[in-house]
Amino acid sequence: MTFEDLGLSPSTLKGVTDAGYTTPTPIQEQAIPLILMGRDVLGIAQTGTGKTAGFTLPMIDILAEGRAKARMPRSVIIAPTRELAAQVSDNFVKYGKYQNLCMALLIGGESMAEQERVLDRGVDVLIATPGRLLDLFERGRIILNDVRILVIDEADRMLDMGFIPDVERIVSLIPKIRQTLFFSATMNAEIRRLADQFLMNPKEVQATAPATTATTVTQALIIVRPEDKRECVRRLIRAEHLKNAFIFCNRKRDVDILFTSLTKHGFNAVGLHGDMPQPKRMEMLARFKAGEADLLVCSDVAARGLDISAVSHVINFDVPFNAEDYIHRIGRTGRAGMTGNAITIATPYESKALAAIESLIKSSIPMLMEAAIEDLKVPMQSGDAPRESRGPRGGGRGREPKGRDRNLRKDRDHSPRHAPISSPVPAQLQAEAEVQVSTPQAAEQPVEQAFAYTPEPIIPPARERHERSDRKNSRPRESNKWARDAGRMEYPDDAVGFGSAIPAFLQVAPTFLPPEPGDAEAHVEDE
Ligand code: AMP
């Protein structure tokens, strides 16, 4: 099937040709004709499947007829994060260049006055994160009575981020007679309930089998002491001959610390997390996309949907708290038919999070055999099942394994370092990775100014320093934040308390605490 068969207008087809696409992806084949017919669509698809073009191309054609009035958008697209909203808006610009549509991107962290000015001129397409959209609505800057098409993108992510009440509110403000397109990567009971609530007699479409070249992401695991993590990352970057990498941390504070540390050690890095000012977030991303920085140290705000081709590595500086985030994180590499590497750095205290991931992906992540980091390796907590090892680069035997690897079976696998793992890459990830992708826009991304983001200092704030020094001398009081946190930690079996031994809560770095409400990315995205 070709794009011409889908019923798109000649000018939109011209936009598609300019983008370099020759064949529609499965989701595009299914969704485009339905949307052009005016049907509601329930799409089970994630980024990487071509779903954005799947809804933007027909929307461009539908909206080509008619004109927008001031402050009354004719269509609304809601996306969970600013970066995803910006990506959708890039798609409109790219495919709609031969149509005369006005578009507004409403995301937190950008000048509201400028967004209001654009709204006043009248927009055909409004692309927004939920918080900023409601904010402008409440200020009377947007009237939603003229909306004829509503797109809810990445519904499952919105659910995870706690945005569903906002989304429900937005939907209640939009006329009932409309066309609704609802996309989600997964379909659980809650997503199904929302789909039933928002859609009318929808047609269900799904991104199915891989479209083109099989892609593999080689996964590997290293277990080190918390204090060795940064050293481990540095050695990995050097040893892996890495081209570029996403380096994921669980906490925004650790993004800052790691970014500062890597920069200090001479690496070409940028940082990205939800507490940074929006212009900086965009700038960091643009620099990484343009290849001006090799390393993007980031929180999970960058885990989903970011479409940057040819990323050679993903390094998990922390095991993600949420197992599904692992799939999204490692899906940043191995895109567009290329191979990718995903290396997870764990500590002995993260066995539960690791087990949850391995149960989700239905395979165990092999240990990385890399001579450069062998001396940093430590065993996982006792009682864990032995784990297969990855062979060293080029298939050699490497140094005799230490620590955890001492328990490994004699017949452990020493297969070449970068061979694909035998366990299947999860279907979800395959669907995301295996679509034929071409991203000319990555290289075109403008870079406006030199990097000037100053992260938080590594020196802890005064109160934290005081609390840390307290811990040297006395058992922490229950009112002490560290003590409360310690109650939620997993202790190594050999931690016995005071005397010659170090209490377990002093051994455990704060990176391993479960997130606190203030740490979550969710509520900062749209402020
Ligand atoms: P998405 O799933 O919308 O995030 O798209 C992922 C990537 O696929 C983007 O870089 C698109 O530019 C690219 N893409 C979308 N449709 C096609 C197509 N029909 N052929 C090749 N690449 C495509």
Side-chain angles (χ1 to χ4, degrees):
M1 183 173 284
T2 64
F3 278 102
E4 284 74 16
D5 301 327
L6 300 178
L8 294 165
S9 71
S11 47
T12 303
L13 287 173
K14 227 165 141 208
V16 170
T17 309
D18 287 2
Y21 309 158
T22 49
T23 319
T25 65
I27 196 85
Q28 292 164 357
E29 257 183 52
Q30 299 169 73
I32 292 173
L34 292 167
I35 299 172
L36 288 172
M37 269 186 258
R39 292 290 303 261
D40 278 9
V41 169
L42 169 58
I44 321 283
Q46 48 191 289
T47 52
T49 56
K51 84 165 151 58
T52 320
F55 66 80
T56 48
L57 293 172
M59 279 179 77
I60 289 167
D61 274 358
I62 294 170
L63 295 166
E65 306 280 315
R67 277 290 142 255
K69 302 184 197 97
R71 284 190 272 157
M72 296 181 79
R74 300 164 62 212
S75 65
V76 166
I77 300 172
I78 323 172
T81 67
R82 300 166 188 179
E83 281 75 12
L84 287 172
Q87 216 162 264
V88 173
S89 128
D90 288 347
N91 274 251
F92 264 101
V93 172
K94 183 162 71 170
Y95 310 131
K97 63 182 181 188
Y98 298 107
Q99 305 274 23
N100 200 15
L101 295 178
C102 293
M103 186 188 69
L105 175 64
L106 303 189
I107 52 178
E110 301 262 322
S111 153
M112 224 184 246
E114 179 51 33
Q115 293 175 359
E116 288 175 4
R117 251 194 307 280
V118 178
L119 286 169
D120 287 345
R121 288 202 293 268
V123 295
D124 301 294
V125 188
L126 183 64
I127 304 163
T129 47
R132 180 55 69 101
L133 176 57
L134 282 177
D135 208 354
L136 282 156
F137 177 82
E138 264 138 31
R139 288 162 191 250
R141 308 306 306 188
I142 311 174
I143 302 162
L144 294 170
N145 297 352
D146 221 14
V147 174
R148 294 289 174 265
I149 307 176
L150 168 67
V151 182
I152 298 168
D153 198 13
E154 307 250 342
D156 54 341
R157 176 99 202 261
M158 303 233 223
L159 184 68
D160 289 351
M161 295 174 81
F163 289 164
I164 293 302
D166 283 355
V167 175
E168 287 180 309
R169 170 104 205 282
I170 292 167
V171 176
S172 76
L173 299 169
I174 291 177
K176 288 209 166 18
I177 305 296
R178 59 165 194 261
Q179 182 177 15
T180 308
L181 315 173
F182 183 97
F183 291 92
S184 179
T186 53
M187 181 55 63
N188 59 28
E190 179 61 1
I191 295 290
R192 179 64 68 180
R193 179 191 74 75
L194 292 168
D196 290 345
Q197 184 184 329
F198 298 154
L199 299 161
M200 253 213 278
N201 189 24
K203 274 296 246 184
E204 200 166 312
V205 298
Q206 204 155 350
T208 48
T212 52
T213 342
T215 302
T216 51
V217 175
T218 304
Q219 301 173 63
L221 176 71
I222 312 165
I223 298 160
V224 300
R225 282 189 298 269
E227 61 272 27
D228 288 337
K229 275 189 173 190
R230 289 208 290 272
E231 171 67 19
C232 180
V233 168
R234 290 195 293 272
R235 290 197 203 173
L236 272 179
I237 295 170
R238 292 185 187 113
E240 285 278 309
H241 306 298
L242 154 166
K243 175 176 161 280
N244 54 2
F246 280 80
I247 306 180
F248 284 101
C249 302
N250 285 357
R251 288 192 161 73
K252 290 172 270 193
R253 177 185 53 193
D254 293 330
V255 170
D256 286 340
I257 292 172
L258 183 59
F259 160 72
T260 309
S261 161
L262 288 172
T263 309
K264 212 175 77 193
H265 281 86
F267 293 101
N268 185 5
V270 288
L272 178 71
H273 64 64
D275 274 358
M276 287 165 58
Q278 186 58 26
K280 277 286 160 256
R281 281 167 66 164
M282 294 307 208
E283 186 193 324
M284 299 292 95
L285 204 52
R287 292 194 62 209
F288 184 64
K289 276 186 173 182
E292 291 181 9
D294 309 321
L295 308 171
L296 177 68
V297 186
C298 52
S299 65
D300 281 296
V301 74
R304 295 206 199 190
L306 286 189
D307 179 36
I308 303 174
S309 58
V311 173
S312 72
H313 283 70
V314 165
I315 298 178
N316 288 317
F317 184 76
D318 300 306
V319 180
F321 295 130
N322 177 349
E324 278 188 7
D325 285 340
Y326 177 80
I327 294 179
H328 292 293
R329 287 181 181 186
I330 74 169
R332 297 311 103 216
T333 182
R335 294 174 80 81
M338 298 180 197
T339 54
N341 297 280
I343 301 174
T344 299
I345 304 173
T347 69
Y349 319 110
E350 291 176 294
S351 56
K352 278 194 187 146
L354 211 48
I357 289 167
E358 293 184 334
S359 141
L360 182 72
I361 64 173
K362 296 189 176 57
S363 68
S364 87
I365 307 172
M367 297 295 290
L368 179 75
M369 294 293 287
E370 169 59 73
I373 48 99
E374 282 299 310
D375 60 317
L376 298 180
K377 283 184 174 177
V378 292
M380 187 52 96
Q381 272 185 278
S382 59
D384 280 0
R387 184 177 284 280
E388 295 289 308
S389 293
R390 303 293 327 230
R393 186 186 295 281
R397 289 194 68 80
R399 222 185 280 174
E400 190 53 33
K402 289 181 187 177
R404 177 192 173 98
D405 289 351
R406 260 189 251 124
N407 303 327
L408 293 174
R409 292 203 310 265
K410 286 269 181 326
D411 61 346
R412 64 187 175 272
D413 173 18
H414 283 288
S415 54
R417 168 66 186 79
H418 287 291
I421 57 165
S422 53
S423 53
V425 175
Q428 233 176 322
L429 176 61
Q430 285 201 3
E432 189 172 355
E434 293 180 358
V435 154
Q436 178 72 50
V437 182
S438 77
T439 50
Q441 82 274 29
E444 290 161 17
Q445 198 75 21
V447 182
E448 272 140 31
Q449 59 198 103
F451 172 61
Y453 162 60
T454 315
E456 288 168 18
I458 292 181
I459 304 161
R463 190 177 66 87
E464 214 172 319
R465 281 204 301 274
H466 172 70
E467 283 171 0
R468 284 185 193 176
S469 67
D470 267 4
R471 284 181 299 136
K472 285 184 194 149
N473 306 319
S474 65
R475 188 180 284 276
R477 295 183 303 278
E478 262 318 273
S479 59
N480 182 319
K481 175 180 173 294
W482 286 81
R484 277 186 276 112
D485 290 340
R488 300 202 302 269
M489 293 171 185
E490 296 174 57
Y491 296 160
D493 288 348
D494 59 353
V496 292
F498 291 93
S500 59
I502 303 167
F505 64 85
L506 288 182
Q507 297 182 355
V508 181
T511 39
F512 310 112
L513 306 179
E516 293 180 340
D519 286 331
E521 293 284 351
H523 299 287
V524 298
E525 298 308 326
D526 285 325
E527 282 160 5

